[in-house]
């Protein structure tokens, strides 16, 4: 697969695997959609899962995901023997783990997929941060969960955000924009008011400043991902397309021994 999205600084981390799936991959010279249906065809989803995992050099055929609900609950994956299907029933919008060889993922199409890695404690989290989850501070909750469960210090964390809808395309009306204006003293960095009382919100940047307020160093937060709406030929965008597929953002620790 050629068009995965990677975050440079995470790619350089030893014993660490990550990546975001594109909307298409090329098989035998033919362009094929990937994860084009979130809930529809289970078999197709499973086949795509194997393609994606193989493209990252991962031999296991499954990954851990949760039922995402635009909330702020963090699932702690403590036991690798728990069935994937059981984890999949849990409602949450982030997963953290210390277990090597256990791929954890979030599904997105405009919402921000965030990977948080602690290279000191060698623990990881993935976060699904949409408008509502961001409003409810899912990223802060995940940082706190990493501290509580594993003793992670925010200053050691590396945060990378994948393809998401950005300030160029994400238009909101005033009631939806107000919580973000109230949320942070830095609001002018991520929200733009235009004529007609419309607002443009940059979701990755909101999360960048939230991460900073949670104690993560600005230099360790990477938000250079593409806009899913501008680059809709490469990434799924719910805003632009309505019913569509999902991008899968994966992180996996490898054993350091
Ligand atoms: Zn855009």
């Amino acid at each position: 697969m050629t068009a995965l999205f990677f975050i440079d600084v995470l790619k350089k981390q030893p014993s660490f695997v990550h990546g975001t799936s594109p909307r298409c991959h090329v098989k035998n010279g033919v362009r094929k959609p990937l994860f084009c249906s979130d809930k529809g065809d289970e078999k197709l989803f499973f086949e795509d899962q194997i393609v994606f995992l193989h493209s990252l050099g991962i031999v296991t055929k499954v990954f851990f995901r949760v039922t995402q609900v635009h909330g702020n609950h963090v699932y702690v994956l403590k036991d690798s023997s728990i069935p994937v299907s059981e984890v999949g029933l849990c409602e949450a919008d982030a997963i953290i783990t210390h277990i090597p060889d256990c791929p954890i993922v979030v599904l997105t199409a405009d919402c921000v997929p965030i990977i948080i890695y602690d290279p000191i404690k060698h623990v990881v989290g993935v976060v699904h941060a949409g408008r509502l989850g961001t409003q409810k501070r899912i990223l802060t909750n995940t940082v706190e969960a990493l501290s509580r469960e594993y003793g992670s210090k925010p200053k050691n964390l590396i945060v990378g955000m994948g393809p998401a809808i950005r300030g160029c395309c994400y238009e909101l009306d005033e009631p939806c924009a107000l919580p973000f204006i109230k949320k942070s003293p830095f609001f002018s960095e991520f929200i733009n008011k235009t004529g007609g009382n419309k607002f443009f919100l940059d979701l990755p940047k909101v999360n960048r400043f939230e991460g900073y307020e949670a104690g993560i160093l600005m230099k360790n937060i990477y938000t250079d991902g593409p806009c899913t709406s501008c680059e809709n030929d490469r990434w799924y965008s719910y805003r632009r397309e309505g019913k569509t597929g999902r991008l899968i953002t994966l992180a996996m620790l490898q054993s350091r021994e």
Side-chain angles (χ1 to χ4, degrees), residues 28-74:
N28 304 327
V30 182
R31 201 171 133 98
K32 290 195 152 195
L34 205 56
F35 303 115
C36 63
S37 170
D38 176 14
K39 296 188 177 77
D41 188 334
E42 284 296 327
K43 183 169 172 284
L44 186 65
F45 193 91
F46 188 69
E47 284 170 6
D48 289 349
Q49 197 168 306
I50 293 169
V51 170
F52 177 48
L53 287 164
H54 280 184
S55 73
L56 289 166
I58 298 172
V59 289
T60 170
K61 290 184 172 144
V62 292
F63 47 55
F64 289 90
R65 54 187 279 210
V66 285
T67 298
Q68 298 171 188
V69 291
H70 297 280
N72 61 8
H73 183 66
V74 181

Side-chain angles (χ1 to χ4, degrees), residues 168-169 227 229-230:
C168 40
C169 294
C227 172
S229 181
C230 287

Side-chain angles (χ1 to χ4, degrees), residues 5 8 10 39 62 65 85 131 133 166-167 188 205 241:
F5 178 81
D8 287 346
L10 291 177
K39 296 188 177 77
V62 292
R65 54 187 279 210
S85 56
R131 179 173 63 83
R166 307 222 51 162
S188 62
K205 275 194 193 162
E241 301 169 82

